Amino acid sequence: MILLQISSAQGPDECMLAVSKALERFIQEADELNVNSDILEEERGPRSGTLRSVLIAIQGGNEQQLLERWNGTIKWVCDSPWRKGGSRKNWFIGVTTFAPIPKVAESEIRFETLKASGPGGQHVNKTESAVRAVHVASGISIKVQSERSQHANRRLACMLLEHRLQQVQNMNQAQIKSERRSCHHQIERGNAVRTFIGMKFIPQA
């Protein structure tokens, strides 16, 4: 399993919209290559439908082929939906990959089920679909409620817990955090690995 982060860096709202569109396109291409993709973390932007960044776990026989398409700078050519008459049409986001995550045995994890909180209507209020995963040895706890099924939330909780444990246990934890943080500041705007066009985010041939 490999982690992949899509980030708007310090870009404006249009870059955050590009992250959201890139995420949809990435998941579509992952499905076409039979690569499993799971969203572990999202940081939402100030406008509806935008994302500052998203962290994805991918796993499958064709994962390297997928990474070759995406790892690097992504360019989006599109008129801004918010700046009418503006001259700027080129927006840039960054895609960064991180080392595979070591597996943690389920015997080392205590699972708790609970009702999901927040918006979601009757389903959220009446079903115990949310899952909290606690690493017994360290006490690190992760709560996941993004999926409707308890099984799906349990699987995502394990992935995210493994990621957190790696950060804590790795002697270079500070360096890893620094690398992720730097992704929000360093985007090479003149050397895009892929370019997408228009609001439908169509790949440029």
Side-chain angles (χ1 to χ4, degrees), residues 138-152:
S138 67
I140 294 175
S141 174
I142 298 293
K143 178 184 175 183
V144 175
Q145 61 178 42
S146 57
E147 301 295 329
R148 285 187 173 271
S149 78
Q150 185 183 120
H151 176 75

Side-chain angles (χ1 to χ4, degrees), residues 26-78:
F26 181 87
I27 292 174
Q28 176 185 331
E29 294 187 5
D31 289 342
E32 291 170 356
L33 291 172
N34 294 318
V35 174
N36 293 325
S37 59
D38 292 288
I39 298 172
L40 300 184
E41 292 180 340
E42 287 184 345
E43 183 180 355
R44 299 191 178 278
R47 291 182 183 268
S48 176
T50 65
L51 291 170
R52 293 185 185 276
S53 68
V54 60
L55 184 66
I56 311 164
I58 63 172
Q59 188 171 18
N62 296 315
E63 62 185 23
Q64 288 299 329
Q65 182 180 345
L66 186 64
L67 293 179
E68 289 175 3
R69 294 182 185 179
W70 286 91
N71 192 33
T73 298
I74 302 297
K75 178 181 178 181
W76 181 37
V77 182
C78 187

Side-chain angles (χ1 to χ4, degrees), residues 61-154:
N62 296 315
E63 62 185 23
Q64 288 299 329
Q65 182 180 345
L66 186 64
L67 293 179
E68 289 175 3
R69 294 182 185 179
W70 286 91
N71 192 33
T73 298
I74 302 297
K75 178 181 178 181
W76 181 37
V77 182
C78 187
D79 291 324
S80 170
W82 302 298
R83 308 185 203 198
K84 302 303 180 183
S87 59
R88 181 175 176 182
K89 296 184 179 181
N90 296 331
W91 316 100
F92 296 89
I93 60 176
V95 179
T96 308
T97 58
F98 299 91
I101 307 173
K103 282 287 184 182
V104 176
E106 288 204 7
S107 60
E108 302 176 42
I109 304 172
R110 183 178 74 252
F111 294 97
E112 303 170 2
T113 60
L114 57 158
K115 291 183 179 179
S117 59
Q122 293 182 349
H123 177 84
V124 167
N125 295 331
K126 293 184 178 180
T127 62
E128 292 192 349
S129 59
V131 172
R132 179 180 287 115
V134 182
H135 186 244
V136 176
S138 67
I140 294 175
S141 174
I142 298 293
K143 178 184 175 183
V144 175
Q145 61 178 42
S146 57
E147 301 295 329
R148 285 187 173 271
S149 78
Q150 185 183 120
H151 176 75
N153 282 330
R154 178 178 174 130

